[in-house]
Amino acid sequence: MKVTRDNATPIEITLTVELEPEDENPFLERSYRRTVSRVNIPGFRRGKAPRHIVESMVGRPALLQEALEFMVPETLNKVLADEEVSAFAEPSIEVTDLEPVSFTATVPLEPTIDLGDYRSLRVESTPVDVADEEVDDLMGRLREEQAVWEPVERPAQYGDRLNINVLGTIDGETVVDDQDVEYVPNEDNVLPFPGFAPNLVGMSEEEEREFAMTIPEDYPREQYAGKEVQFSVAVLSVKEKNLPEPDDEFAKSVGEGFDDVEALRSNIRESLTNQAEAAARNELEQKSLDALCEAAVVNASPILYERELEALQADRERMLQQQGLDLATYLRFMGKTTDEFMEEMRPSAEKRLLGGLVLRKLAEVEAIEVTDEDIQSETDRLLELSTSDEDTEQSNLDSLREFLGSASTRDNIRSSLHSRRVLERLTDITQGKLDEAGDDGESATAAESAEETTVTEPTDDTAGEETETRA
């Protein structure tokens, strides 16, 4: 096997690999064994025909094409190990010849990252202040949830709940036919057609009314746009919404109950404060990360950006699948091509990649680690939360202990704790909470150690193209 290094740079290296017949033969043998079990060859039991017979029937190119599936990646892995090259992400591979098999692999290396004078970054945090109006608003929503609809003897008004029979026709064709349905006429209610709701205002119980209206020209369903619709409506009942008084009795009925309305309002304020603090913390983290990215100089292989774009596409496809859609259907609905969809995601992918790279570098520079003891403490905390619920069955607790003790779960906990600590350190920095020596009392060399990371890969005289990015 012949291996040549080309276009080597600190962030990327291209390897050209040419296999000898003896290199190809083990892979062709595997391809033969997979193929012989699938084909019927006269005179031989399935799976027993010799390789030269199978090769004469299906052709060497067919065997070779199937062998490439594992020949190229396995050969590349061996080459990377032999050449002591550490790929930072999946390489880009191109098969250049089949006789003999030759391919080139562009291998992304560890990016070089200079965080600059990151310890001097400062970001203003948003102060948290819950106004009385916010408490009143949530109180109002809680009252809405416990509202009671009661019959009235007056004509219908906006906001009432009506039970109606409704028949709508366009050019003699029935387009609406609902019996005993609930309907709340509001100025912004556009069902069944815009302009329908106002015609019900003023109607009383057991009243019937016929009216015609023109559907707007810009109505989304073009087959109805601009046409006249004839309606026949009968009101079966009219009810109005009665909200409970915001008193102590109301407070006792909310959730598990509160002693009085002041206790309820205090709980609402605390809940809103927690939400506001969480939102402010998320905003501070994002602003701090943006500032760190802006200050950093990232030198990364273009392949990393493509891999991140592919990962983001996979994430979007999973989200669509959870909604019962596939990507092709979504793109048809949106009127977009796959290329347009990918290009729209590219800025998000680039931002996500750069954010991940600079946080990874910050964790390295600040020596942020998560120990096995940290993971165990978090596991114990999660178990304690579960055991605090008296209704939790022992079998469920045993299953939870088994789940939390698995290697994959502990890895997830480690990753989550590590990410949280890195962001906490970053916000401590941007809020000026750390002195020049750092929070661990070490000498003020943290910023100096954030200098550009170099990769000690041997390079030849041919320099390839680098991508330097200021995030």
Side-chain angles (χ1 to χ4, degrees), residues 318-449:
R318 280 192 293 271
M319 291 174 58
L320 290 172
Q321 289 171 359
Q322 291 172 0
Q323 300 171 23
L325 292 173
D326 57 48
L327 182 59
T329 302
Y330 171 77
L331 292 179
R332 282 198 304 271
F333 179 77
M334 299 299 294
K336 297 177 182 177
T337 65
T338 302
D339 289 343
E340 289 171 339
F341 176 66
M342 296 293 281
E343 285 306 309
E344 285 182 2
M345 291 193 300
R346 188 174 295 278
S348 297
E350 292 178 352
K351 182 176 181 179
R352 190 167 79 169
L353 173 65
L354 292 171
L357 290 176
V358 297
L359 287 177
R360 181 173 179 271
K361 181 62 178 178
L362 180 68
E364 174 192 330
V365 171
E366 292 287 320
I368 299 173
E369 297 180 351
V370 174
T371 65
D372 290 342
E373 290 75 15
D374 296 329
I375 297 173
Q376 190 59 51
S377 295
E378 179 65 8
T379 300
D380 294 342
R381 186 186 71 83
L382 294 173
L383 279 171
E384 186 178 349
L385 287 175
S386 299
T387 54
S388 63
D389 185 353
E390 297 179 357
D391 295 331
T392 303
E393 296 182 0
Q394 185 61 44
S395 60
N396 291 336
L397 289 175
D398 292 340
S399 297
L400 180 59
R401 287 191 182 92
E402 182 179 357
F403 171 73
L404 292 174
S406 69
S408 61
T409 300
R410 290 179 71 85
D411 285 344
N412 288 335
I413 292 175
R414 182 187 299 275
S415 177
S416 178
L417 287 176
H418 188 262
S419 297
R420 170 51 48 198
R421 289 185 178 181
V422 174
L423 285 171
E424 286 176 351
R425 178 66 60 85
L426 176 59
T427 54
D428 282 348
I429 290 170
T430 61
Q431 292 295 285
K433 294 181 180 179
L434 302 182
D435 58 26
E436 292 184 356
D439 61 342
D440 53 5
E442 295 181 358
S443 60
T445 59
E448 295 175 8
S449 65

Side-chain angles (χ1 to χ4, degrees), residues 54-69:
V54 174
E55 191 167 327
S56 67
M57 286 197 63
V58 303
R60 173 181 164 83
L63 286 180
L64 189 56
Q65 283 293 338
E66 181 161 335
L68 290 175
E69 177 185 333

Side-chain angles (χ1 to χ4, degrees), residues 83-102:
E83 296 291 322
E84 297 183 344
V85 174
S86 179
F88 190 76
E90 183 182 348
S92 176
I93 301 173
E94 179 185 4
V95 176
T96 56
D97 205 345
L98 295 178
E99 295 294 347
V101 172
S102 302

Side-chain angles (χ1 to χ4, degrees), residues 108-356:
L109 305 177
E110 174 117 12
T112 62
I113 304 170
D114 180 2
L115 295 182
D117 186 17
Y118 71 93
R119 282 278 184 137
S120 68
L121 294 175
R122 294 294 179 266
V123 172
E124 289 188 10
S125 59
T126 302
V128 173
D129 181 26
V130 175
D132 291 341
E133 290 77 13
E134 295 178 76
V135 177
D136 294 340
D137 181 64
L138 187 49
M139 276 283 289
R141 278 182 277 163
L142 291 174
R143 293 174 65 202
E144 289 278 352
E145 292 175 2
Q146 296 197 24
V148 177
W149 292 93
E150 296 180 346
V152 292
E153 296 181 356
R154 58 167 174 74
Q157 300 174 356
Y158 281 130
D160 287 341
R161 176 184 288 177
L162 314 182
N163 279 73
I164 61 174
N165 295 333
V166 55
L167 177 67
T169 60
I170 296 177
D171 297 331
E173 176 188 356
T174 299
V175 293
V176 179
D177 187 4
D178 292 319
Q179 303 296 308
D180 193 19
V181 295
E182 290 185 343
Y183 187 84
V184 178
N186 285 314
E187 292 179 329
D188 57 353
N189 193 335
V190 296
L191 297 176
F193 294 105
F196 174 81
N199 289 281
L200 273 59
V201 174
M203 292 186 67
S204 300
E205 185 176 331
E206 299 184 357
E207 181 180 349
E208 297 182 3
R209 179 179 293 179
E210 294 184 354
F211 56 89
M213 51 173 283
T214 301
I215 300 172
E217 294 285 350
D218 59 354
Y219 190 67
R221 300 176 67 180
E222 295 180 358
Q223 68 269 36
Y224 298 144
K227 292 188 176 181
E228 184 178 83
V229 55
Q230 299 284 339
F231 278 112
S232 176
V233 177
V235 175
L236 307 180
S237 67
V238 179
K239 297 177 182 178
E240 68 177 1
K241 180 189 292 186
N242 288 324
L243 302 178
E245 290 297 323
D247 53 19
D248 293 347
E249 288 303 312
F250 168 70
K252 292 179 175 130
S253 69
V254 175
E256 297 181 359
F258 296 86
D259 292 338
D260 51 41
V261 71
E262 287 306 315
L264 173 58
R265 289 183 65 87
S266 177
N267 180 269
I268 290 174
R269 185 177 295 279
E270 180 181 358
S271 176
L272 291 174
T273 299
N274 290 338
Q275 293 175 27
E277 288 176 345
R281 184 169 57 251
N282 290 337
E283 181 185 16
L284 175 61
E285 289 173 354
Q286 187 59 56
K287 285 182 178 179
S288 299
L289 178 55
D290 290 343
L292 184 64
C293 288
E294 182 67 27
V297 175
V298 177
N299 217 11
S301 166
I303 294 175
L304 297 186
Y305 294 93
E306 295 306 314
R307 294 290 178 260
E308 192 68 27
L309 184 58
E310 292 166 3
L312 185 56
Q313 179 191 12
D315 290 345
R316 295 286 173 85
E317 288 196 56
R318 280 192 293 271
M319 291 174 58
L320 290 172
Q321 289 171 359
Q322 291 172 0
Q323 300 171 23
L325 292 173
D326 57 48
L327 182 59
T329 302
Y330 171 77
L331 292 179
R332 282 198 304 271
F333 179 77
M334 299 299 294
K336 297 177 182 177
T337 65
T338 302
D339 289 343
E340 289 171 339
F341 176 66
M342 296 293 281
E343 285 306 309
E344 285 182 2
M345 291 193 300
R346 188 174 295 278
S348 297
E350 292 178 352
K351 182 176 181 179
R352 190 167 79 169
L353 173 65
L354 292 171

